[in-house]
Amino acid sequence: MKFIHIADVHLGVTPDAGFKWSEKRAKEIWDSFGRIVGLAREQEADLLLIAGDLFHRQPLVRELKEVDYLFSTLTNTQVVLIAGNHDYLKDGSNYWNFPWSENVHFLYQQECESVFFPELNTRVYGLSYHTREITQPLYDELVPVKDGSCSILLAHGGDARHIPIDRRKLALAGFDYIALGHIHKPQVLIRDKMQYCGAIGALDRDDTGIHGHVEGIIENGKVRARFVPDEGREYKELDIRVDSGSTDLSVMQQISEKMELLGRKHFYKIRLAGFRDPDIIFNIKRYYELGQVADVRDETEPDYDFTVLEEEYRDGIIGEYIRQLKGDALMDHLDEITKKALYYGVQALLETKE
């Protein structure tokens, strides 16, 4: 029996609102979901498991109709899904009473329920969110029916505000496979047994790293599950080291070269670190024009020569400040906290002096 496990699709989200690519990314998330459905069709997967947050917010009726059409093309695949904390089943939700295709099984209840597929000898368990937050550990005491059938649990949560999970208890409950959702980064908790598939695609600047889905096979009572990375865009963190010889233009060139090497299709979070020439000012706004740059942080510090400054301002407050902080210690032997206090204090005093 073959299955595909996805979660946290977040249809309807507009990533990086305000950036020029945000609307395009919203469409790409729909396209990624369509590719997963197409993959299930091509592989003739028996089950498509969706462990919550298919939508980023309450779905529109027209969106549900689009999704259901895609599901209806799966002539050999049964779809099982639950609502997560983003698309929870509030009063008036369009999820209620939506006429899904025959192969779609929505587990609506707040308490765990299951659907049995006799042709697969498989029972899929799960429950849906009816509120944004659930602080009770609803999964910890669950156990599957002992009738010789294969048992799969769809579970969405894992933090204090979204169904805390005792991983040890859940692992010992007796489920053959536990398909987790809510955490956007893929994580294997127990190989071939319990894992977060992660979001199928990057949703915002904090969703760094690879994304994808899980493909599994259950044969002779044994499960084999593997994470399959998506070949689409990623949010990549780009650390740029600067020194006293770096200039604004040289840093821009360094960023461009690294983006070219890693791929222009990706989005980048740039962090500048190191010690710069005190006379150099980095024009952060220009860096956003280098490509698909989602965030820039300047964590550089001016490379002051404190020995020269102490001598130059020996009769003033700057010289006294340096002497008080470093005492009898040599500059090379100062601890990190003292060094930071020196840099920030001297910078503030110099700016006040100007």
Side-chain angles (χ1 to χ4, degrees):
M1 190 265 285
K2 293 186 291 186
F3 66 84
I4 291 178
H5 162 204
I6 64 173
D8 302 288
V9 181
H10 288 274
L11 297 173
V13 69
T14 302
D16 299 331
F19 286 84
K20 59 185 178 182
W21 60 76
S22 61
E23 293 297 329
K24 183 178 181 181
R25 284 292 299 131
K27 179 182 179 300
E28 287 177 347
I29 290 170
W30 276 90
D31 292 343
S32 295
F33 175 64
R35 283 197 299 273
I36 293 294
V37 174
L39 189 65
R41 186 168 55 250
E42 293 168 12
Q43 295 185 356
E44 297 186 344
D46 297 291
L47 293 174
L48 174 58
L49 307 170
I50 305 176
D53 284 352
L54 174 59
F55 285 89
H56 186 64
R57 35 75 180 152
Q58 294 300 311
L60 304 175
V61 173
R62 61 177 174 81
E63 293 173 327
L64 289 174
K65 288 181 177 181
E66 295 290 349
V67 167
D68 188 58
Y69 166 72
L70 290 173
F71 289 157
S72 72
T73 66
L74 298 173
T75 56
N76 297 294
T77 305
Q78 300 293 323
V79 180
V80 188
L81 68 156
I82 58 174
N85 59 295
H86 276 268
D87 57 354
Y88 68 99
L89 292 168
K90 64 183 292 186
D91 289 343
S93 171
N94 290 320
Y95 271 141
W96 292 113
N97 301 317
F98 182 80
W100 295 103
S101 296
E102 290 184 358
N103 65 321
V104 181
H105 310 271
F106 200 120
L107 304 181
Y108 285 96
Q109 300 302 313
Q110 300 180 69
E111 297 80 26
C112 188
E113 59 177 320
S114 66
V115 55
F116 181 62
F117 302 103
E119 69 279 10
L120 303 174
N121 192 31
T122 297
R123 193 181 301 273
V124 181
Y125 299 76
L127 59 90
S128 282
Y129 280 64
H130 285 217
T131 57
R132 288 185 184 276
E133 296 183 1
I134 302 175
T135 57
Q136 296 81 23
L138 301 181
Y139 301 122
D140 287 357
E141 304 303 323
L142 296 182
V143 291
V145 175
K146 306 297 183 181
D147 60 358
S149 63
C150 176
S151 58
I152 296 174
L153 174 66
L154 300 186
H156 189 90
D159 63 40
R161 294 186 298 127
H162 305 97
I163 311 186
I165 293 174
D166 185 323
R167 298 178 179 183
R168 182 177 176 277
K169 281 186 178 180
L170 196 53
L172 296 174
F175 292 100
D176 293 290
Y177 181 74
I178 300 165
L180 294 170
H182 182 60
I183 305 300
H184 288 190
K185 293 184 183 298
Q187 299 178 36
V188 177
L189 303 186
I190 301 176
R191 183 178 177 183
D192 295 328
K193 174 82 170 182
M194 179 166 60
Q195 66 188 95
Y196 286 98
C197 58
I200 66 170
L203 301 173
D204 59 37
R205 69 189 71 180
D206 294 323
D207 261 352
T208 56
I210 61 173
H211 295 81
H213 66 280
V214 171
E215 296 179 4
I217 296 177
I218 302 177
E219 191 173 19
N220 298 323
K222 293 185 178 179
V223 181
R224 290 180 316 215
R226 68 185 185 100
F227 175 76
V228 180
D230 178 37
E231 296 181 356
R233 305 174 191 267
E234 295 178 25
Y235 285 81
K236 291 182 175 290
E237 294 179 322
L238 200 59
D239 283 341
I240 303 295
R241 302 297 302 181
V242 306
D243 55 35
S244 57
S246 299
T247 67
D248 191 39
L249 290 175
S250 72
V251 168
M252 289 180 67
Q253 181 177 355
Q254 189 178 353
I255 292 171
S256 292
E257 289 174 351
K258 287 194 173 184
M259 288 171 62
E260 195 68 39
L261 181 65
L262 294 173
R264 286 285 179 178
K265 71 177 181 179
H266 300 300
F267 303 95
Y268 290 92
K269 296 175 62 176
I270 298 169
R271 184 179 75 95
L272 308 182
F275 294 94
R276 70 178 188 279
D277 185 324
D279 294 325
I280 292 295
I281 298 176
F282 298 122
N283 190 346
I284 299 302
K285 288 185 178 180
R286 294 177 64 190
Y287 298 178
Y288 285 96
E289 301 171 2
L290 294 175
Q292 295 180 143
V293 177
D295 186 49
V296 182
R297 287 177 292 147
D298 183 359
E299 299 178 3
T300 62
E301 297 173 355
D303 190 16
Y304 294 120
D305 188 330
F306 291 107
T307 303
V308 172
L309 286 174
E310 182 182 2
E311 178 62 25
E312 182 178 351
Y313 296 100
R314 62 181 180 276
D315 297 326
I317 189 172
I318 294 176
E320 181 62 22
Y321 178 79
I322 295 172
R323 285 192 293 273
Q324 287 292 330
L325 254 68
K326 78 179 185 67
D328 296 328
L330 297 174
M331 289 302 303
D332 292 342
H333 293 84
L334 295 180
D335 60 72
E336 288 302 313
I337 294 177
T338 304
K339 282 184 179 180
K340 284 185 178 295
L342 269 172
Y343 278 107
Y344 295 145
V346 168
Q347 185 173 10
L349 289 170
L350 288 172
E351 288 174 354
T352 301
K353 178 178 177 296
E354 292 175 359

